[in-house]
Amino acid sequence: GAGVSQSPSNKVTEKGKDVELRCDPISGHTALYWYRQSLGQGLEFLIYFQGNSAPDKSGLPSDRFSAERTGGSVSTLTIQRTQQEDSAVYLCASSLLAGGGTDTQYFGPGTRLTVL
Amino acid sequence: GENVEQHPSTLSVQEGDSAVIKCTYSDSASNYFPWYKQELGKRPQLIIDIRSNVGEKKDQRIAVTLNKTAKHFSLHITETQPEDSAVYFCAANSGSARQLTFGSGTQLTVLP
C-alpha cells in the first residue's frame, strides 16, 4: 500500500513568511509524529497526534510552530514568521498504534525547508 | 528526558568486513530500540528493531544486541557490501508520546 507522503518536497521562503507543510500518513495509522532533521544531525521530535486525543506538543521549539490533524488523518505543520534557523528537513512518521510505544514508525520523504 | 548517544560518528570498512555501531540511552523506561538507515536525500528506513524483552535479534546480515542493565545496544552488520554505505541512526522510545529519541548518526562507508 501507499506509504507516508509529504508535500511539498522542497520549500524556499523568505525570513518572516509563514509556511505550511503537509503530511498524509499511512491509511489506518492512528499515531502521527513530526520530527525535524537539521543538516548532518539526528532527528528531533516536534509533536505527536494519537487518534482524537489532544496532541503532545512538548517538542515544539517555539510558539511560532503549530500543527493540526484533521479527521484523524492528514496533518499540517505551520511555522509562522520563519527564521533562518528553521531551515531543516521536516519529517513526518506514522504508526499503527501508539500503545506501549513499540510500534514501527514509518517515515515520509520529508520537506526540505530553506529560509533565506 | 531521554538522551541517546551514538558512536562512532564515521566508520569506514572494507567490503566483506563487519561493522559495529554502539548506542547508549539514559531512560530506563525505554522499551523499544529501532535502527534506521538513511541514504543521502532519502527518508529513514527501518532495518531492524528490538524490544526490551529480548537481548538479541538477527535478520540475515544484520543483528542487534541489547543490554538493559548497562543501557546500551549495538548494531552489527556482517559481510558488508558497498550498498550498505549510508547513515545509520539508533533510537529509543521515551516520553508521554513514546516518541523516538535519535542518536546523532553514523556515516558508514564500505570500501570496495
Side-chain angles (χ1 to χ4, degrees), chain A residues 6 21 23 31-38 42-49 59-61 65 67 77 79 86 88-95 101 103-112, chain B residues 32 34 36 44 91-94 97-102:
Chain A
Q6 293 185 245
L21 312 178
C23 171
L32 187 150
Y33 300 81
W34 282 97
Y35 293 88
R36 177 170 70 175
Q37 186 174 29
S38 300
L43 287 74
E44 171 193 9
F45 166 71
L46 297 177
I47 189 170
Y48 156 74
F49 295 89
L60 294 179
F65 289 71
L77 177 69
I79 308 174
D86 299 335
V89 176
Y90 289 81
L91 290 154
C92 173
S94 70
S95 65
D103 291 317
T104 299
Q105 293 186 25
Y106 297 89
F107 282 86
T111 294
R112 181 176 298 278
Chain B
Y32 174 63
Y36 285 86
N93 67 343
S94 64
R98 309 311 287 163
Q99 68 269 22
L100 296 176
T101 299
F102 285 82

Side-chain angles (χ1 to χ4, degrees), chain A residues 1-2 5 9 12 14 19 22-23 26 35 38 48 57-58 60-61 75 80 90-91 101:
Chain A
S5 61
S9 55
V12 180
E14 294 179 347
V19 296
R22 176 188 169 105
C23 171
I26 294 172
Y35 293 88
S38 300
Y48 156 74
K57 306 178 183 180
S58 58
L60 294 179
S75 177
Q80 296 178 310
Y90 289 81
L91 290 154

